[in-house]
């Protein structure tokens, strides 16, 4: 029976959530050999055995830390592929996965396809989605082994418990000094990102000035919320463009969206329509936003927001 | 003397031969460039008799040029005067080579009559140039290029005309110059030069000297001019007339359909300058940088980096810079011009609202948008390079058929409480109402849709909609250069529409109207399409709707570019407004009708951030305020949104209403 290799992507000693799906994809082609780059195969083997990984290989290269040396990691994967005779190497098409799989493919001089939604080991083909799923391309992978990145959530993890043995493979890496990762800084540190926020409180033109946004800041602090703004408020110079929610600003998806003095134009609504709960505060009872909100407060935001902040403070 | 004449004859023949040879070589090169570019041949001109009429009206009649009054009249004077002196100059050329040559001996009557007229017209050139100089050196409009080129041309032409008069004057006083013909009383203007310069008192020998001096200046200037023209902006002398002859005969226009199915195609749109077609090249040759396009352009007016004049000029420069490679067949060595060639940046092509003010005003019918849209197509289809805000808009249109990404199965929700059947339920409807995306999903525009629905119900119109089967018309995608997406949307609608064979299609959105009427035929969908401004007017004229008699106050009308300039519908909405407001026609703004100012939303700009310059809609809002109107009416959902936002920005409480909303108010008033 042929063997299929899987790059076990981990971060902070945890297996990435999309990995089991990739294992399920690999299991369609034969026994699954997992490749671990952080040396913790023993820690992971029970977890991965539950999904059908039969061999879990610690790839090591002396003192080298693979997470800081992507070129070396690619070469190590290639060595693993050769040593265990796998006919295909799969991984998650994540930023890290795409990087390492591509490097491994180069080292192996093997065909590569990323962001695949299906793989057929009998025919040596993969499928990719184009134009938001309107067209599906089937690519033939000529040569063995081939390398393939699987789009997250394309395969359901399979319940295929089996015995998993951990192994070590020491590899020799040569000429991999071109790229060295010296530091990793999280993007947008300090400022919370609107697109990832669970709660957003936004102000519109009636905010009247940049200073008045401090009342939203105060409320946001109590709610662990991020402050947003409408285009009109941004245009008027009350808020930075990075705060703009809407068609031409940020598309947001919070659990709670509080709109203060927003009329609810289509351009704004298009940017926050997937919010779970929408609360609107507006003096105009006919403002279109009320027809789209779960809760509406007819009132002056300069009265309502401070009152809300005060009540939230009491809850602490 | 004889020796001199022989030398003169030889020199003249040599110089004329050389200058005409150079002129011909340059011209041939320009023509060969037109033949060597790679763009798909737009075909041979049709409807020749109509085109000949166009030549008479636009070129000889100078009607297009005179849409700008004073410069237009100045140009008319220069044009006719310059034409008029040409036979005279030709005679002098021949006489320089063959001293015995004289037309006057053969047809003295006709000859004298011609000279009489040419003498007056020639002088009028100087009048025209006096105005041109006044404009260039005193008024100095911002849209004029104040280059050496233009000044050179003024200098050249004035020299030619002045020496024309001085030669004529010498011919009156000097028997040598007269060459046996009696020129007395032939020259009404040049005659005055005699007394002005005291030529009669000059000795006969000096008269000969002066004649020869003026003659040589005249001839050398003409020959210099001849060599100078093909390399200067004055190439328009040669290219304008053919360009006007080949102009689109209709105002209505469709964006060129790109064959995206062509598997042989290596590129789409306009990326490299050699991908122009011969007609594009002729367009570029025809430009004389008069700047009228720039004067009308909303992007330029609000401080954006796009000027249609500069755009055309920069494309022409790029073409000439690469012309040797084009002629040598080294097309593969030419690089894409955007962000590489001087002045041709991404900001330039994405600033355009496709309002067509430039094309409309251009006296030589340059089709600026042919370049603009094709350049966008290349950016989107080949480089995937476009303003980042468009990313989501494209995806939304692809998935849900509307730019905001609302679920496509909620498209008909706006009218779920109204009694409007879908075409499936009412296949015999007289009117199929193509609602459009904004009018279905945007709450503000839905109010317009509801007003229109109320009017149709009141008029007893047998109407149906496509409901959730309707897809966005494709205007935004197409104008944003995403031809692939646009064609997918268009084809889907054409299939649906052809399946239900509508008798007549109504829409309240000018962008949708333009697509259905002018662009769907490219995809096998030819329909009888009516915009609601025209349709509501019909209903009033047929007395199916009777507006009330309430005074609505001072209403101004904002022309939508896609209704007006793209489709020539200027009058219907105005008549409609007058018809519902006690017969009072709308108060006109300064920029109105075919010179109307865009709201800023066209060309997919609705979905892009306006980060450069000032806001177009605010500019327009200020003009609305200045008009003294109590209310501004429009006939486009995008215009309504833009103007409303602009007026808010100006803290004005002037209301913006669609003509359907206004009429619905008035009709309800009547039936209270």
């Amino acid at each position: 029976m042929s063997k299929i290799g899987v790059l076990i992507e981990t971060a902070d000693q945890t297996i990435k959530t999309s990995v089991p799906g990739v294992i399920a994809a690999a299991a369609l082609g034969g026994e699954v050999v997992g490749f671990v780059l952080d040396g913790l195969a023993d820690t992971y083997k029970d977890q991965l055995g539950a999904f059908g990984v039969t061999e879990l290989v610690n790839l090591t290269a002396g003192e080298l830390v693979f997470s800081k040396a992507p070129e070396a990691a690619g070469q190590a994967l290639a060595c693993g592929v050769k040593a265990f005779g796998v006919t295909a190497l799969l991984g998650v098409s994540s930023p890290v996965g795409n990087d390492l799989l591509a490097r491994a493919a180069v080292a192996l001089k093997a065909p590569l396809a990323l962001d695949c939604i299906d793989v057929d080991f009998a025919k040596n083909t993969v499928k990719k989605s184009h134009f938001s799923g309107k067209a599906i391309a089937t690519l033939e992978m000529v040569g063995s082994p081939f390398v393939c990145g699987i789009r997250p959530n394309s395969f359901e993890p399979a319940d295929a418990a089996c015995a998993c043995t951990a192994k070590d493979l020491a590899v020799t890496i040569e000429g991999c000094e071109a790229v060295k990762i010296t530091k990793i800084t999280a993007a947008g540190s300090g400022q919370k990102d609107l697109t990832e926020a669970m709660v957003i409180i936004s102000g519109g033109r009636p905010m009247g000035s940049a200073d008045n946004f401090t009342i939203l800041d105060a409320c946001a602090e109590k709610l662990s919320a991020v402050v947003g703004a409408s285009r009109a408020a941004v245009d008027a110079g009350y808020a930075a463009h990075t705060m703009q929610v809407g068609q031409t600003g940020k598309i947001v998806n919070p659990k709670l969206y509080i709109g203060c003095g927003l009329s609810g134009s289509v351009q704004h609504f298009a940017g926050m329509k997937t919010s779970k709960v929408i609360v609107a505060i507006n003096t105009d009872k006919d403002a279109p936003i009320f027809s789209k909100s779960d809760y509406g407060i007819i009132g002056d935001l300069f009265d309502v927001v401070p009152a809300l902040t005060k009540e939230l403070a009491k809850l602490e | 003397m004889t020796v001199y004449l022989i030398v003169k004859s030889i020199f003249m023949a040599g110089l004329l031969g050389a200058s005409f040879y150079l002129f011909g070589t340059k011209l041939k090169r320009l023509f060969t460039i037109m033949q060597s570019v790679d763009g798909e041949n737009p075909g041979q001109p049709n409807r020749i008799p109509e085109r000949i009429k166009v030549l008479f009206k636009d070129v000889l009649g100078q009607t297009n040029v005179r849409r700008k009054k004073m410069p237009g009249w100045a140009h008319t004077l220069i044009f006719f005067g310059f034409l008029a002196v040409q036979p005279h100059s030709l005679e002098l050329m021949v006489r320089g080579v063959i001293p015995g040559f004289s037309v006057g001996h053969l047809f003295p009557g006709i000859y004298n009559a011609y000279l009489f007229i040419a003498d007056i017209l020639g002088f009028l050139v100087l009048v025209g140039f006096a105005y041109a100089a006044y404009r260039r050196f005193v008024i100095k409009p911002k849209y004029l290029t104040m280059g050496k080129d233009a000044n050179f041309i003024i200098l050249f032409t004035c020299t030619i005309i002045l020496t024309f008069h001085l030669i004529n004057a010498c011919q009156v006083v000097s028997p040598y110059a007269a060459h046996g013909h009696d020129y007395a009383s032939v020259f009404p203007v040049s005659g005055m030069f005699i007394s002005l310069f005291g030529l009669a008192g000059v000795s006969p020998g000096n008269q000969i000297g002066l004649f020869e001096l003026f003659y040589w200046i005249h001839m050398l200037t003409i020959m210099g001019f001849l060599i100078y023209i093909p390399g200067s902006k004055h190439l328009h002398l040669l290219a304008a007339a053919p360009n006007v002859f080949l102009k689109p005969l209709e105002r209505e226009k469709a964006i060129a359909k790109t064959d995206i199915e062509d598997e042989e195609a290596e590129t789409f749109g306009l990326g490299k300058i050699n991908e122009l077609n011969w007609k594009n090249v002729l367009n570029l040759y025809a430009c004389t940088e008069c700047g009228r396009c720039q004067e009308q352009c909303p992007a330029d007016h609000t401080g954006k980096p796009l000027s249609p004049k500069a755009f055309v000029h920069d494309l022409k420069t790029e073409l000439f810079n690469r012309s040797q490679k084009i002629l040598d067949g080294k097309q593969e060595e030419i690089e894409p011009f955007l962000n590489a060639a001087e002045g041709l940046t991404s900001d330039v092509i994405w600033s355009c609202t496709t309002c067509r003010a430039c094309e409309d005003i251009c006296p030589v019918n340059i089709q600026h948008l042919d370049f603009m849209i094709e350049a966008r197509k290349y950016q989107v289809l080949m480089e995937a390079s476009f303003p980042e805000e468009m990313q989501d808009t494209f995806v939304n249109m692809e998935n849900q058929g509307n730019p905001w990404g609302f679920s496509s199965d909620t498209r008909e929700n706006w009218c779920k409480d109204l009694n409007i059947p879908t075409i499936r339920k009412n296949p015999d409807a007289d009117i199929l109402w193509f609602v459009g995306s904004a009018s279905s999903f945007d709450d503000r525009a839905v109010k317009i849709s509801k007003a229109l629905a109320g009017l149709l119900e009141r008029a007893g119109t047998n109407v149906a909609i496509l409901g959730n089967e309707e897809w966005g018309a494709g205007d935004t995608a197409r104008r944003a250069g995403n031809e692939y997406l646009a064609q997918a949307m268009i084809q889907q609608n054409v299939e649906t529409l052809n399946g239900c064979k509508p008798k007549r299609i109504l829409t309240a959105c000018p962008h949708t109207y333009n697509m259905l009427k002018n662009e769907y035929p490219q995809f096998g969908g030819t329909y009888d399409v009516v915009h609601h401004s025209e349709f509501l007017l019909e209903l009033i004229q047929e007395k199916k709707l009777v507006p009330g008699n309430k005074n609505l106050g001072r209403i101004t009308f904002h022309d939508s570019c896609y209704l007006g300039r793209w489709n020539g519908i200027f009058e219907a909405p105005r008549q409609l407004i007058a018809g519902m407001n006690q017969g009072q026609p709308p108060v006109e703004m300064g920029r109105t009708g075919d010179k109307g100012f865009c709201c800023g939303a066209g060309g997919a700009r609705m979905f892009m951030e306006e980060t450069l310059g000032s806001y177009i809609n605010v500019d327009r809002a200020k003009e609305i305020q200045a008009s003294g109107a109590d209310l501004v009416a429009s006939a486009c959902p995008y215009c309504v949104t833009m103007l409303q936002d602009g007026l808010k920005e100006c803290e004005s409480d002037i209301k913006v209403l669609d003509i359907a909303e206004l009429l619905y108010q008035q009709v309800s008033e009547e039936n209270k």
Side-chain angles (χ1 to χ4, degrees):
Chain A
M1 195 177 181
S2 57
K3 289 180 180 179
I4 308 295
V6 171
L7 161 64
I8 307 297
E9 193 183 330
T10 59
D12 301 331
Q13 308 187 5
T14 318
I15 299 165
K16 280 286 182 85
T17 49
S18 308
V19 171
V22 176
I23 295 169
L28 300 171
E31 280 182 22
V32 182
V33 181
F35 295 110
V36 179
L37 293 167
D38 62 1
L40 298 171
D42 277 323
T43 321
Y44 304 139
K45 72 174 185 190
D46 294 340
Q47 254 177 292
L48 293 172
F51 295 112
V53 177
T54 51
E55 291 173 279
L56 196 58
V57 184
N58 267 327
L59 295 171
T60 54
E63 296 296 301
L64 205 64
V65 180
F66 286 125
S67 64
K68 290 185 179 171
E71 279 181 293
Q75 277 197 19
L77 280 168
C79 292
V81 166
K82 284 179 190 157
F84 284 82
V86 303
T87 52
L89 174 66
L90 271 56
V92 182
S93 250
S94 62
V96 171
N98 287 345
D99 183 21
L100 299 185
L101 292 171
R103 291 179 193 282
V106 170
L108 289 164
K109 294 197 167 56
L112 168 78
L114 296 173
D115 207 30
C116 301
I117 55 167
D118 201 0
V119 54
D120 184 332
F121 296 102
K123 293 183 186 157
N124 267 11
T125 58
V126 297
K127 285 187 175 154
K128 291 185 67 163
S129 155
H130 291 276
F131 305 107
S132 304
K134 287 209 172 56
I136 305 289
T138 304
L139 309 181
E140 190 182 342
M141 308 300 277
V142 181
S144 176
F146 67 84
V147 182
C148 163
I150 303 286
R151 181 185 279 195
N153 306 324
S154 300
F155 288 86
E156 283 295 313
D159 198 359
C162 65
C164 179
T165 46
K167 295 184 175 171
D168 288 303
L169 178 67
V171 296
T172 322
I173 304 296
E174 274 168 13
C176 280
E177 285 87 35
V179 178
K180 197 185 271 174
I181 295 174
T182 53
K183 196 177 161 194
I184 295 173
T185 316
S189 55
Q191 170 101 41
K192 280 195 241 169
D193 187 1
L194 275 168
T195 51
E196 287 177 12
M198 301 295 262
V199 182
I200 292 172
I201 179 162
S202 276
R205 176 186 296 281
M207 294 305 299
S209 73
D211 289 343
N212 288 341
F213 264 79
T214 51
I215 70 161
L216 298 191
D217 292 336
C219 189
E221 207 186 312
K222 302 290 169 209
L223 283 165
S224 304
V226 180
V227 178
S230 73
R231 179 179 174 156
V234 173
D235 283 355
Y238 306 157
H241 181 67
T242 51
M243 292 165 69
Q244 184 175 323
V245 173
Q247 178 89 8
T248 59
K250 299 264 163 55
I251 310 288
V252 300
N253 185 24
K255 286 193 169 156
L256 172 62
Y257 190 91
I258 306 175
C260 308
L262 299 174
S263 64
S265 74
V266 68
Q267 300 285 71
H268 186 80
F269 186 64
M272 42 66 87
K273 62 180 183 295
T274 52
S275 305
K276 294 274 175 322
V277 175
I278 299 173
V279 177
I281 304 168
N282 202 308
T283 48
D284 176 9
K285 68 174 170 44
D286 295 323
I289 188 132
F290 284 129
S291 68
K292 301 182 158 55
S293 324
D294 300 283
Y295 300 94
I297 302 169
I298 299 167
D300 188 344
L301 71 97
F302 292 104
D303 299 329
V304 178
V305 177
L308 181 65
T309 312
K310 213 168 142 191
E311 287 303 311
L312 288 166
K314 282 184 197 165
L315 293 176
E316 281 179 349
Chain B
M1 203 69 213
T2 341
V3 180
Y4 169 72
L5 284 178
I6 293 167
V7 173
K8 178 180 171 184
S9 173
I10 293 167
F11 259 96
M12 207 56 197
L15 284 172
L16 280 172
S19 58
F20 273 98
Y21 175 76
L22 273 175
F23 175 71
T25 314
K26 286 188 171 191
L27 217 59
K28 186 166 170 245
R29 185 186 156 92
L30 291 169
F31 193 71
T32 317
I33 294 173
M34 279 172 67
Q35 291 175 313
S36 308
V37 285
D38 299 324
E40 196 187 336
N41 189 343
Q44 301 306 313
N46 53 357
R47 297 156 71 181
I48 303 296
E50 278 176 77
R51 294 185 181 279
I52 292 170
K53 266 187 222 160
V54 165
L55 273 188
F56 273 95
K57 184 171 161 283
D58 291 9
V59 180
L60 285 177
Q62 296 272 293
T63 45
N64 252 352
V65 180
R66 279 199 311 277
R67 284 177 67 192
K68 205 165 169 64
K69 222 170 181 184
M70 284 305 284
W73 275 110
H75 187 274
T76 307
L77 296 182
I78 296 165
F79 175 81
F80 281 109
F82 208 69
L83 273 188
V85 304
Q86 296 312 309
H88 177 272
S89 300
L90 194 65
E91 190 210 355
L92 288 177
M93 280 176 195
V94 179
R95 205 194 278 179
V97 183
I98 311 163
F101 180 79
S102 166
V103 186
H105 289 148
L106 297 174
F107 316 102
I110 301 171
Y111 182 64
N112 284 354
Y114 157 70
L115 285 179
F116 185 84
I117 296 166
D119 195 52
I120 296 170
L121 291 176
F123 179 73
L124 292 177
V125 172
L126 294 178
V127 176
F129 271 123
Y131 178 75
Y134 169 72
R135 185 154 164 262
R136 287 194 166 265
F137 301 117
V138 182
I139 308 177
K140 294 185 188 168
K142 194 176 136 268
Y143 55 82
L144 273 187
T145 311
M146 299 295 175
K148 275 192 210 135
D149 206 13
N151 296 343
F152 251 135
I153 289 158
I154 295 183
L155 191 70
F156 268 137
T157 326
C158 285
T159 309
I160 291 170
I161 298 296
L162 276 174
T163 48
F164 161 79
H165 285 302
L166 289 166
I167 288 168
N168 290 346
C170 289
Q171 283 177 318
V172 176
V173 292
S174 161
Y176 165 81
H179 207 61
H181 186 80
D182 181 12
Y183 285 100
S185 76
V186 173
F187 299 121
V189 179
S190 305
M192 288 190 278
F193 277 61
I194 301 171
S195 48
L196 194 67
F197 293 97
L199 283 178
V202 177
S203 72
N206 284 349
Q207 282 173 349
I208 295 173
L210 281 174
F211 173 77
E212 286 299 324
L213 177 70
F214 297 143
Y215 178 86
W216 279 106
I217 295 175
H218 189 71
M219 284 303 149
L220 290 173
T221 313
I222 288 178
M223 288 186 262
F225 196 40
L226 208 57
I227 301 167
Y228 187 72
I229 290 173
S232 77
K233 70 170 199 147
H234 239 50
L235 180 55
H236 99 281
L237 277 185
L238 305 164
N243 204 56
V244 170
F245 180 76
L246 294 167
K247 80 173 189 178
L249 290 173
E250 264 82 38
R251 174 185 280 282
E252 292 84 352
K253 167 168 177 166
I255 285 177
K257 181 183 176 186
T258 303
D259 184 4
I260 51 171
E261 306 281 334
D262 180 6
E263 292 184 1
E264 305 283 296
E266 285 171 12
T267 183
F268 296 118
L270 173 62
K272 301 173 183 177
I273 202 69
N274 55 299
E275 289 158 10
L276 295 172
N277 65 39
W278 65 262
K279 219 182 229 179
N280 298 144
V281 175
L282 185 61
N283 266 229
L284 299 181
Y285 291 170
C287 179
T288 184
E289 298 169 33
C290 72
R292 295 175 192 212
C293 52
Q294 181 177 324
E295 192 188 13
Q296 297 297 321
C297 177
D300 182 81
H301 192 80
T302 52
K304 294 173 181 55
L306 163 65
S307 145
K309 179 187 76 173
F311 182 57
V312 165
H313 174 266
D314 293 337
L315 283 168
K316 182 157 79 173
T317 307
E318 170 71 3
L319 176 70
F320 286 152
N321 286 345
R322 309 280 165 249
S323 57
Q324 198 52 49
K325 286 207 164 90
I326 293 174
L327 294 173
D328 294 347
K330 291 180 182 162
Q331 271 79 353
E332 71 282 1
E333 289 178 18
I334 298 173
E335 294 293 319
F337 57 76
L338 203 74
N339 299 320
E342 176 81 25
L344 298 169
T345 65
S346 308
D347 284 342
V348 166
I349 66 161
W350 293 108
S351 288
C352 177
T353 68
T354 70
C355 76
R356 264 186 101 188
C358 50
E359 292 189 354
D360 186 86
I361 200 71
C362 180
V364 295
N365 303 100
I366 293 168
Q367 304 291 302
H368 305 72
L369 289 186
D370 291 0
F371 301 92
M372 193 64 82
I373 302 281
E374 294 305 311
R376 284 187 178 185
K377 277 184 195 170
Y378 180 84
Q379 287 305 302
V380 175
L381 300 178
M382 303 304 296
E383 303 273 336
S385 165
F386 43 82
E388 60 169 318
E389 311 91 87
M390 288 309 293
Q391 179 72 51
D392 285 319
T393 306
F394 285 151
V395 171
N396 290 340
M397 290 191 285
E398 209 171 293
N399 293 344
Q400 305 294 352
N402 70 78
W404 299 281
F406 294 109
S407 172
S408 61
D409 57 13
T410 59
R411 186 175 269 267
E412 63 186 39
N413 281 13
W414 70 271
C415 64
K416 60 177 183 237
D417 302 329
L418 305 172
N419 187 25
I420 306 173
T422 59
I423 193 82
R424 301 269 166 224
K425 288 183 190 149
N426 182 17
D428 296 325
D430 296 326
I431 293 288
L432 175 67
W433 180 6
F434 197 108
V435 185
S437 295
S439 308
S440 299
F441 292 110
D442 178 358
D443 282 344
R444 176 63 192 89
V446 163
K447 285 186 187 169
I448 302 168
S449 302
K450 286 186 172 168
L452 181 56
L455 290 168
L456 295 175
E457 191 185 9
R458 205 176 280 270
T461 310
N462 182 5
V463 64
I465 57 171
L466 288 174
N468 292 342
E469 281 186 75
E470 184 186 294
W471 213 243
D475 165 84
T476 301
R478 212 167 196 211
R479 265 105 197 121
N482 196 337
E483 181 77 1
Y484 177 86
L485 172 58
Q487 291 197 9
M489 297 171 83
I490 295 167
Q491 268 155 1
Q492 180 158 342
N493 279 326
V494 167
E495 274 171 36
T496 312
L497 289 169
N498 287 353
C500 55
K501 297 191 177 58
K503 293 178 195 162
R504 199 176 185 201
I505 304 180
L506 166 73
T507 181
C509 170
H511 298 265
T512 305
Y513 174 82
N514 183 65
M515 290 300 291
L516 290 170
K517 184 156 185 259
N518 303 326
E519 305 200 359
Y520 277 35
Q522 293 174 333
F523 299 86
T526 305
Y527 315 107
D528 178 7
V529 192
V530 63
H531 184 253
H532 78 318
S533 57
E534 296 173 304
F535 189 68
L536 293 174
L537 188 63
E538 274 177 34
L539 291 180
I540 290 182
Q541 284 163 349
E542 290 165 4
K543 302 268 185 280
K544 288 181 178 164
L545 287 176
V546 182
N549 203 30
K550 189 181 155 200
N551 187 348
L552 296 170
R554 289 159 62 85
I555 303 174
T556 187
F557 179 71
H558 166 85
D559 287 281
S560 149
C561 304
Y562 276 81
L563 193 62
R565 268 191 298 267
W566 279 80
N567 284 292
I569 302 176
F570 297 107
E571 279 314 306
R574 288 181 166 78
Q575 285 179 27
L576 193 67
I577 290 168
M580 67 172 116
N581 193 20
Q582 301 180 336
Q584 302 173 68
V587 182
E588 294 292 355
M589 287 183 264
R591 296 173 291 191
T592 184
D594 56 10
K595 289 185 181 160
F597 193 71
C598 181
C599 71
R605 291 285 331 162
M606 181 79 183
F607 301 97
M608 299 178 211
E609 283 291 346
E610 199 173 345
T611 50
L612 302 164
S614 59
Y615 292 117
I616 293 175
N617 61 338
V618 172
D619 195 287
R620 186 58 159 172
K622 286 179 184 157
E623 194 172 11
I624 293 169
Q625 286 181 300
S627 73
D630 310 312
L631 197 154
V632 52
S634 183
C636 169
Y638 285 169
C639 292
V640 168
T641 301
M642 295 303 282
L643 298 181
Q644 203 167 287
D645 285 356
L647 284 164
K648 256 191 225 168
E649 191 82 26
C650 298
E651 295 181 351
S652 159
D653 48 15
I654 298 175
K655 265 196 163 180
V656 188
L657 287 175
D658 186 90
I659 45 170
E661 292 177 295
L662 269 175
L663 184 61
Y664 187 65
Q665 277 183 16
Q666 264 312 44
V667 169
S668 308
E669 187 70 24
E670 172 69 15
N671 293 281
K672 251 182 192 168

